[in-house]
Structures are given as C-alpha cells and as structure tokens.
Amino acid sequence: MEERRRFKRSAVSIPCTVYWHDHVIRGQIANLSLGGALIIRLTAIPPEDASVILAFQAEKGEIELKGKLTSRVIHTVLESIEQGEIGSIGVEFQEPLEEVRSRLNPVFRALGQSNS
C-alpha cells in the first residue's frame, strides 16, 4: 500500500483542549504532524467537518491551531464510557503550512525529532 501522507507523523502524548463553538473538550494528542493530529480520549465528539481550535501547552507557552475535523472514531467500549472517554478524532490543520511549521517546529525539536 502506497504511503500518501505529506508529512511525517510523530507519536506524542500531549494533553490538549479542543474548542468547538461553546464547547470545551478535553483530550490527548496521540500523534502530530505538520498536517494535523490524532486526538484520543475525548470527553465529547464534535460532528464531522466541524471547525475546531486545538490548544495545548508547549515549552514556550500555549499553542493554538485552527483545524477541521476529518474523521471521527466513536468508541462504544463500556470501559471507555465509564472512564468518560468517548472517542477519537482526526484534525487537519487549516492554517498556512509556514504558520503551522513555525508553531510546531519547537515542539518537534523538544521531542528530539525533525519534522520538515
């Protein structure tokens, strides 16, 4: 199967907040690239194609990136529901690549990774 991703993904474990309209949703970034992020352990799931803001703490303060929901994975496993974890989402960043790169490169450097 041919790899179609434009950017290398980095496995991370970063607590985050997803803002969607008046909703504040807690989750965890599981992988991150210059093109988007996989967010797991969410407490709620926005609808597909929703515009969201992803915010997380980095070494140099808070990073906020605008994105669009590209996929939704809703877990129905009882244990997840009991822990308040509803599902996972994929978010594609909507801002210009250079802007995303300038915000995320310090994160990748802190992780000891190059992600050009």
Side-chain angles (χ1 to χ4, degrees):
M1 187 168 183
E2 182 182 332
E3 178 64 43
R4 296 185 323 220
R5 291 190 179 98
R6 288 181 45 204
F7 305 105
K8 177 185 162 201
R9 288 183 175 189
S10 297
V12 296
S13 181
I14 303 171
C16 68
T17 304
V18 175
Y19 297 96
W20 171 65
H21 292 294
D22 293 335
H23 303 280
V24 177
I25 305 166
R26 305 279 180 224
Q28 184 169 350
I29 302 171
N31 72 46
L32 185 64
S33 77
L34 294 176
L38 172 65
I39 306 165
I40 62 172
R41 297 186 180 151
L42 288 162
T43 55
I45 302 286
E48 208 155 329
D49 290 329
S51 292
V52 299
I53 295 176
L54 172 63
F56 62 95
Q57 290 294 319
E59 199 171 289
K60 298 190 178 211
E62 185 167 83
I63 294 176
E64 284 191 5
L65 294 165
K66 292 179 183 169
K68 186 165 194 149
L69 207 65
T70 58
S71 62
R72 299 170 15 133
V73 179
I74 300 173
H75 301 288
T76 56
V77 179
L78 187 58
E79 295 150 11
S80 293
I81 293 168
E82 287 173 352
Q83 294 171 13
E85 299 170 2
I86 296 176
S88 306
I89 59 173
V91 173
E92 179 181 15
F93 298 138
Q94 299 294 298
E95 296 174 347
L97 177 59
E98 287 309 312
E99 191 171 330
V100 173
R101 181 177 278 130
S102 71
R103 292 184 192 178
L104 291 185
N105 272 346
V107 175
F108 294 127
R109 277 195 295 276
L111 295 168
Q113 301 171 353
S114 168
N115 216 4
S116 297

